[in-house]
Amino acid sequence: MANDTNRFQAIISHCKEYGFIFPSSEIYDGLSAVYDYGQYGSELKKNIRDYWWKSMTQLQENIVGIDAAIFMHPTTWKASGHVDGFSDPMIDNKDSKKRYRVDHLIEARIDELSKEGKNTEADTLQAQLDALIAADDLSGLKDLILTQKIKCGVSGTSNWTDVRQFNLMFSTQIGSVSEESSEIYLRPETAQGIFVNFLNVQKTGRMKIPFGIAQIGKAFRNEIVARQFIFRMREFEQMEMQFFIRPGTEDEWYEHWKEARMKWHLSLGIPPAKYRFHDHVKLAFYAKAACDIEYEFPFGFKEVEGIHSRTNHDLSRHQEYSKKKLQYFDPEINQNYIPYVIETSIGLDRTILMVLSEAYAEEDLSTPEKTDSRVVLKFPPRLAPVKLAVLPLTKKDGLPEIAREIMDVCKQQFRCFYEEKDAIGKRYRRMDAIGTPFCVTVDHQTKEDRTVTIRYRDSMQQDRIPIEQIAPLISKAIG
Ligand code: ATP
């Protein structure tokens, strides 16, 4: 079994080798922190997206979904605070010309100290970092980098520029004639598309508070990143839900959504010990509470989802900038107010990495007679890209015809894969590697009694079942 340090690399290689995730435009040597999902990756992504969407909308009678555009009126981002405040402190190394996020540089030093067993020093440094970030003290951050003697990983020197704020939004021009064009942004989060549509949805859907609006879509951030695969990308997908509530009820709804979201995570079959809540110490001035759900990736506990109690900040700002009333009349208390909001915000790509990290296993199957091993992705069946492989034992004797009959029935209901080439053992291993939970083999006995061998991915156990039972058995397993 690969250890944690190279397990991450093994997952990245596996994703590429088996058609899950490729570097973007790889034939041109790729584009940093941008990735493409291949034939199995895109199925996995769709299954996770659908699972979230169903749990948020179909199963919640008071939450509806929307699909807002990526481009939004530029004033949106003034009102949201992103134009002035969506930035990270950065520092450049003058020798290597490499740019770093200051908090990442210092956090790497904190990790080093912890690994050396210097826990008190690590805690002190973390506290200093938090205080300087909270105070926006850029020169203090630079001093900390110098006193900690932090060096650039490429040049090996401490020849640093001053620390500067670097806005993470991508901008472009809208309009065909250059004199008439104006600058707009690629959205850095999907949430604002929900806030600006709050009244449209509330009125047309006759929604009564408390209610939620959910959305899944692309977001773009000009992140400074180093080898974090799909954990931190420049183009990524978010699944967000804004829950609109009566002021004064925010604490109970915040607790409700913390619990509900953790339940959702556990329903992915991931053990509770792999998750933890991390409360934010530094809250935005308008926020009442905020926490992250962190998962233990091969590189440590990191944020997958944020849950935020945001008061009425966003709607108030949009009301102020648009000069349009964004209020709700609450018939139960006979009052108009700007609703408060609890937000749940999860990254789809980070969820994919979490599911992949959890599913990836290298198993030693050696017996005294021969050495053997397999790599298997133990996805929950409902998330697996392919649910069933249909494998005729040989290419002749009428076996492919029966296998095709099974395909014709099953592919109407879920994703199937047909293969007749190579020895059956090899075909099983290929299905293990892409996480297919069920394989059925059509053999000579099938011609006599219309039964097949079904093989279960995780236990590798094999049973004999009638052809008619295949589809119901799998449909039940994928929920
Ligand atoms: P981080 O601290 O890791 O930069 P964040 O706190 O800025 O994340 P949010 O703005 O709260 O993240 O976004 C909500 C979710 O969107 C995150 O929990 C994460 O899953 C996802 N996300 C944010 N930035 C990225 C990114 N660059 N690549 C992939 N997913 C991202």
Side-chain angles (χ1 to χ4, degrees), residues 22-35:
F22 308 121
S24 154
S25 32
E26 197 189 5
I27 57 168
Y28 296 104
D29 296 333
L31 185 63
S32 168
V34 185
Y35 290 90

Side-chain angles (χ1 to χ4, degrees), residues 266-284:
L266 296 174
S267 77
L268 300 173
I270 297 176
K274 299 298 279 293
Y275 286 113
R276 69 179 187 199
F277 281 111
H278 174 253
D279 289 322
H280 288 199
V281 249
K282 182 196 155 201
L283 288 180

Side-chain angles (χ1 to χ4, degrees), residues 144-160:
L144 201 56
I145 287 178
L146 295 178
T147 51
Q148 287 293 323
K149 300 194 173 60
I150 295 175
K151 294 193 168 57
C152 164
V154 178
S155 67
T157 69
S158 299
N159 192 8
W160 299 108

Side-chain angles (χ1 to χ4, degrees), residues 177-399:
V177 188
S178 64
E179 309 87 71
E180 286 172 14
S181 68
S182 61
E183 188 178 36
I184 58 163
Y185 300 99
L186 297 185
R187 65 180 178 199
E189 62 174 31
T190 56
Q192 300 305 322
I194 294 179
F195 290 124
V196 299
N197 278 298
F198 160 71
L199 265 197
N200 282 338
V201 174
Q202 190 271 318
K203 289 214 148 69
T204 57
R206 299 158 54 84
M207 307 300 290
K208 294 216 164 29
I209 272 178
F211 74 91
I213 305 178
Q215 175 168 223
I216 300 177
K218 289 266 179 158
F220 303 83
R221 296 182 187 179
N222 199 1
E223 304 264 16
I224 301 298
V225 273
R227 294 184 296 282
Q228 287 186 300
F229 193 39
I230 58 167
F231 180 81
R232 191 176 299 286
M233 300 156 90
R234 295 200 163 114
E235 174 180 341
F236 58 101
E237 220 163 307
Q238 289 186 314
M239 308 192 284
E240 297 198 296
M241 194 278 298
Q242 312 291 326
F243 199 70
F244 299 94
I245 54 174
R246 187 185 292 167
T249 62
E250 61 274 18
D251 294 345
E252 62 199 80
W253 280 114
Y254 177 67
E255 289 308 319
H256 168 90
W257 281 109
K258 268 179 77 171
E259 196 185 312
R261 292 307 302 147
M262 185 56 95
K263 256 196 193 152
W264 183 87
H265 279 273
L266 296 174
S267 77
L268 300 173
I270 297 176
K274 299 298 279 293
Y275 286 113
R276 69 179 187 199
F277 281 111
H278 174 253
D279 289 322
H280 288 199
V281 249
K282 182 196 155 201
L283 288 180
F285 72 92
Y286 53 81
K288 279 218 57 186
C291 70
D292 299 331
I293 294 179
E294 295 185 340
Y295 166 78
E296 191 176 17
F297 288 96
F299 43 89
F301 272 101
K302 297 277 182 238
E303 170 181 349
V304 184
E305 171 157 13
I307 298 158
H308 310 126
S309 178
R310 301 179 61 90
T311 65
N312 61 7
H313 173 73
D314 305 86
L315 288 178
S316 302
R317 293 276 290 187
H318 286 303
Q319 174 165 294
E320 183 189 335
Y321 278 73
S322 67
K323 308 207 167 35
K324 309 265 163 38
K325 271 214 154 100
L326 295 178
Q327 299 196 351
Y328 172 79
F329 176 72
D330 191 330
E332 279 176 33
I333 53 172
N334 225 12
Q335 261 181 36
N336 267 310
Y337 55 78
I338 302 179
Y340 271 35
V341 167
I342 306 295
E343 166 182 83
T344 71
S345 173
I346 179 169
L348 175 53
D349 311 87
R350 273 189 204 178
T351 310
I352 293 169
L353 185 57
M354 173 175 84
V355 168
L356 278 165
S357 305
E358 196 59 33
Y360 182 88
E362 294 173 11
E363 291 182 346
D364 184 359
L365 305 174
S366 300
T367 58
E369 291 75 43
K370 69 170 185 161
T371 50
D372 195 7
S373 66
R374 69 167 181 165
V375 174
V376 52
L377 295 178
K378 296 184 169 178
F379 295 130
R382 65 154 72 91
L383 300 185
V386 175
K387 314 297 186 198
L388 170 70
V390 182
L391 314 170
L393 191 62
T394 65
K395 281 188 212 167
K396 45 187 201 300
D397 302 334
L399 303 187

